[in-house]
Amino acid sequence: MRSIHAACLTSTLALSLAAIAPMAAIAQTVQAEAAAEAARTYSAAQFFETTSYGLGGANGLTFSPDGDAILVSSDATGVFNVYALPVNGSPARALTASATNAVFSGTYLPDGRVIVGSDQGGNELTHIYVREADGTLRDLTPGDNVKANYVGLSADNQTLWITTNARDPRVFDLYAYDTATLEGRRIYDNPGMFISAVSSDGRWLALTKPVTSANADVYLVDLSNPGEPRLITEHTGDIAYDAYGFTPDNQALILATNEHGEFNQAWRYDLADGDKTPLIQADWDVMNVSYSRSGRYRVSALNADAQTQLTILDTTTNQPVRLTGLPAGDIGSVRFSPDESRIAFTVASDTSPSDIFVADLSDGRARRLTTALNPAIREADLVEASIVRYEGEGGVMVPAVLYRPKGASAANPAPAVVWVHGGPGGQSRRGYSASIQHLVNHGYAVLAANNRGSSGYGKTFFHMDDKAHGEADLRDIVAGGDWLRAQDWVADDQVAVMGGSYGGYITAAALTFHPEAFEAGINIFGVTNWVRTLESIPPWWGAQKDALYDEMGDPATDAERHRRISPLFHAGNIRRPLLVVQGANDPRVLQVESDELVAAVRANNVPVDYVLFPDEGHGFLRRENRVTAQESYLTFLNRYVRKTGD
């Protein structure tokens, strides 16, 4: 019996194996197809075929007077223009058609005309225009060296407020324009502060005055009886104050202050008696506070560990508005319809750019109006970020946003990039970046480091690098490279550094003062000569320049230290390959900064690639240029970091 059973078992096993064999082959085929799907990569052009959207400015009419459309900015054509986006989901209608200069939306006027802003080739000399009913643009702020800013509309929609530096290039005065005739008049001569907010009835003006990089005050002006600005934030020590805006009833000003802890809180200042009371207190910075026109809804947002936590509060119930039908992501840029029955807003995530939604406030149900991600790209092929912290000099924990490419493992280690934000004092945050996702999609890990001196992590952390730039903050970036190499899924001999503006400076400084720390560097319009840069700050920076000098040092007294931390004066140390990308019209970091660094490094017989855009400024707005820059990043990294020869 035993032998018969054994024979049957052997026969059954053979049949089972015969049946499993084709199944195994099928499984292998499925796995191979899945691997191919997971490994799908996209070109820079495909990533930048993604459309960027932005809503009309705050403190105005983003919904059209008839409520049927929303005012938006979009680079759908490759150049930013202004569109009317129907709320019923129909295609957007172009309101401007620039093929060169970027145009951004401001507000609808009561009669349906539109206020827009545009500079010339990225020179940051923005002018404010009205788009007339026939589609023509009329410059409301003419002048060769004039820079203007849209501020908002009055509650009755009869007055448009704009600031310009037409009278004095160093300061921005306040102008009032009649929305029917668009005749303007100067209503306040700025004594040299920042205009932070205008009350919706046009009576009150809030001004912010930076004293140092850690200390700022808010002043109040009664425009019905102008006199000297009145200080309303008297204090001692290093406390930073600013203004979020006035309440809709014009009874109070909402202040931002870090007087009561590490982070900015929102406090209410009563205009009648000067009482200050807490409004929003949290363990993160309050990023903004605003209201619907009636005051029924209050919108506030926290900068919570590099993500936005936004709340729309119904002040009649003291309960947050619940929105449904939304994808995962951060909500931003909330705009109310005139009757406050609907809102328009954006939602963005690590794997999806900002899209525009509308929702009825009666039930909170949201509808999507745009799909920004290029339909040729599967969102599943993109990478969610995570927040990590690594140890910097002196035990300081450095926050960072980490993007780990799919398939990276100890058996298949990935090349990596330490990404450095701009500033000084900026922050790398979670959210969609076509540039980062393109690199990650092509197999590069990206560590977007928030070195000491970054905003968002408390005032102590923010001021750790004051008058010490290019020192411990730079070593935090070097430590980020070391942290990457310690991960078993990162190729420890394939780590680069890159960044723009101040991040470009840190990149060049890393290659200069830590010449063996990275395999290569990409400097995107970064400062190379701090002496010249600080002396050539545009006049319209005004009081902001004083705060920058306080943080970075005054070139009149700190030139020796500025020379010591400037890569240009020590470029002979650079031994690793460098890519430099620059806009010819950049008013902040002049082209000569990049020209001279490139020449100096080439004199070392070190490989240098240089990409110069004649029609860009401090940041690249034209899609074709962004694609060219991105292709240059990947080609450079592949050649000198991954060493593929491509």
Side-chain angles (χ1 to χ4, degrees):
M1 293 289 294
R2 251 182 257 161
S3 56
I4 293 173
H5 178 73
C8 290
L9 182 61
T10 302
S11 176
T12 302
L13 183 61
L15 288 171
S16 299
L17 289 173
I20 288 172
M23 292 174 63
I26 292 171
Q28 289 176 351
T29 301
V30 170
Q31 289 173 355
E33 289 175 351
E37 287 289 298
R40 185 185 300 181
T41 57
Y42 304 95
S43 68
Q46 286 175 304
F47 272 98
F48 285 98
E49 282 298 321
T50 289
T51 306
S52 297
Y53 290 102
L55 289 169
N59 306 315
L61 298 176
T62 295
F63 283 81
S64 59
D66 60 12
D68 290 342
I70 299 166
L71 190 65
V72 304
S73 306
S74 171
D75 65 348
T77 65
V79 176
F80 276 96
N81 276 284
V82 176
Y83 296 80
L85 179 65
V87 296
N88 65 8
S90 299
R93 178 170 62 90
L95 300 179
T96 65
S98 174
T100 53
N101 299 318
V103 186
F104 294 99
S105 57
T107 181
Y108 277 107
L109 294 178
D111 59 9
R113 291 180 295 171
V114 173
I115 298 298
V116 304
S118 179
D119 71 359
Q120 300 80 45
N123 66 0
E124 299 187 18
L125 293 174
T126 301
H127 286 205
I128 302 300
Y129 301 82
V130 58
R131 181 192 183 272
E132 302 284 10
D134 62 2
T136 59
L137 295 182
R138 176 160 61 95
D139 192 349
L140 300 179
T141 56
D144 291 341
N145 296 304
V146 170
K147 180 177 173 65
N149 300 292
Y150 160 77
V151 176
L153 287 178
S154 60
D156 60 10
N157 295 330
Q158 293 182 13
T159 304
L160 167 71
W161 291 302
I162 292 173
T163 61
T164 89
N165 64 348
R167 178 183 64 86
D168 183 335
R170 298 168 297 176
V171 298
F172 290 87
D173 298 325
L174 182 64
Y175 288 72
Y177 288 75
D178 182 285
T179 56
T181 65
L182 286 178
E183 293 179 357
R185 59 188 179 90
R186 192 169 72 243
I187 61 173
Y188 184 71
D189 289 357
N190 190 344
M193 306 184 202
F194 291 112
I195 291 177
S196 298
V198 183
S199 63
S200 61
D201 61 359
R203 176 179 175 182
W204 299 101
L205 176 66
L207 301 166
T208 303
K209 181 180 180 180
V211 180
T212 69
S213 64
N215 191 2
D217 275 311
V218 173
Y219 290 76
L220 196 63
V221 175
D222 184 347
L223 292 174
S224 67
N225 185 25
E228 289 296 314
R230 177 165 57 91
L231 176 65
I232 63 171
T233 55
E234 202 164 331
H235 65 273
T236 58
D238 285 338
I239 298 170
Y241 276 94
D242 205 344
Y244 295 114
F246 292 90
T247 55
D249 61 9
N250 303 305
Q251 299 299 305
L253 175 66
I254 307 303
L255 296 171
T257 178
N258 60 11
E259 181 173 4
H260 308 283
E262 281 290 317
F263 297 96
N264 275 334
Q265 300 176 356
W267 282 61
R268 176 187 169 98
Y269 174 86
D270 191 278
L271 297 176
D273 57 23
D275 282 351
K276 296 191 187 81
T277 53
L279 183 69
I280 302 173
Q281 298 172 295
D283 291 331
W284 295 105
D285 281 333
V286 179
M287 298 168 65
N288 54 67
V289 180
S290 62
Y291 292 84
S292 63
R293 285 197 167 190
S294 74
R296 175 175 177 177
Y297 298 100
R298 188 187 77 204
V299 181
S300 60
L302 302 179
N303 181 0
D305 212 7
Q307 288 186 270
T308 300
Q309 291 182 355
L310 184 137
T311 301
I312 305 172
L313 185 75
D314 186 335
T315 62
T316 64
T317 64
N318 206 36
Q319 295 297 315
V321 173
R322 303 294 181 187
L323 300 176
T324 61
L326 293 178
D330 289 355
I331 298 174
S333 303
V334 177
R335 306 285 188 263
F336 291 85
S337 64
D339 64 2
E340 299 184 5
S341 65
R342 291 178 294 182
I343 54 172
F345 56 96
T346 60
V347 178
S349 68
D350 297 334
T351 58
S352 178
S354 288
D355 273 306
I356 297 174
F357 291 74
V358 291
D360 292 324
L361 290 174
S362 59
D363 56 18
R365 285 187 293 184
R367 290 185 295 110
R368 186 177 197 146
L369 297 184
T370 66
T371 302
L373 188 66
N374 183 350
I377 296 176
R378 290 191 322 165
E379 189 172 344
D381 290 328
L382 306 185
V383 170
E384 288 277 350
S386 60
I387 302 297
V388 300
R389 282 170 168 78
Y390 62 87
E391 188 171 336
E393 186 175 287
V396 172
M397 298 307 295
V398 179
V401 185
L402 176 66
Y403 299 81
R404 178 173 175 168
K406 295 179 184 292
S409 65
N412 182 36
V417 175
V418 179
W419 184 284
V420 193
H421 63 67
Q427 182 190 24
S428 284
R429 291 169 45 81
R430 291 191 61 172
Y432 184 79
S433 165
S435 189
I436 289 177
Q437 287 288 355
H438 175 251
L439 295 180
V440 177
N441 181 246
H442 283 260
Y444 286 85
V446 174
L447 182 72
N450 283 306
N451 51 273
R452 70 192 71 196
S454 301
S455 57
Y457 304 98
K459 60 188 178 185
T460 300
F461 190 84
F462 180 74
H463 291 291
M464 278 184 175
D465 65 344
D466 286 1
K467 289 190 173 68
H469 297 82
E471 298 175 17
D473 61 343
L474 170 58
R475 293 190 287 273
D476 284 345
I477 298 304
V478 173
D482 295 339
W483 183 87
L484 281 169
R485 291 186 185 88
Q487 311 308 305
D488 63 6
W489 52 272
V490 172
D492 60 10
D493 61 344
Q494 297 180 22
V495 180
V497 59
M498 70 180 290
S501 192
Y502 187 78
Y505 157 67
I506 288 290
T507 294
L511 267 59
T512 302
F513 303 114
H514 300 269
E516 304 296 329
F518 295 99
E519 275 61 58
I522 300 175
N523 164 15
I524 308 165
F525 45 79
V527 176
T528 65
N529 177 348
W530 278 110
V531 178
R532 176 173 52 216
T533 293
L534 291 170
E535 288 176 342
S536 60
I537 295 297
W540 63 78
W541 278 45
Q544 187 178 351
K545 183 170 76 170
D546 298 335
L548 180 64
Y549 280 7
D550 177 73
E551 182 178 352
M552 291 294 307
D554 189 326
T557 56
D558 293 308
E560 182 179 348
R561 187 178 70 83
H562 293 155
R563 288 184 65 88
R564 177 164 52 82
I565 66 171
S566 295
L568 180 63
F569 303 117
H570 313 278
N573 296 338
I574 296 178
R575 298 193 288 273
R576 296 290 169 86
L578 175 67
L579 168 63
V580 177
V581 188
Q582 174 75 40
N585 300 325
D586 194 331
R588 304 187 187 201
V589 179
L590 304 179
Q591 179 188 328
V592 66
E593 296 274 314
S594 293
D595 291 348
E596 291 180 351
L597 182 66
V598 167
V601 177
R602 282 178 176 161
N604 299 342
N605 293 318
V606 171
V608 182
D609 292 344
Y610 190 19
V611 178
L612 178 65
F613 295 116
D615 51 0
E616 296 284 11
H618 199 70
F620 310 139
L621 293 176
R622 295 171 63 89
R623 178 180 292 152
E624 61 186 309
N625 293 337
R626 283 179 280 160
V627 171
T628 298
Q630 191 67 33
E631 289 173 339
S632 301
Y633 306 154
L634 183 61
T635 298
F636 177 84
L637 291 170
N638 283 344
R639 180 181 299 136
Y640 295 112
V641 177
R642 188 178 261 156
K643 300 179 177 63
T644 62
D646 297 331

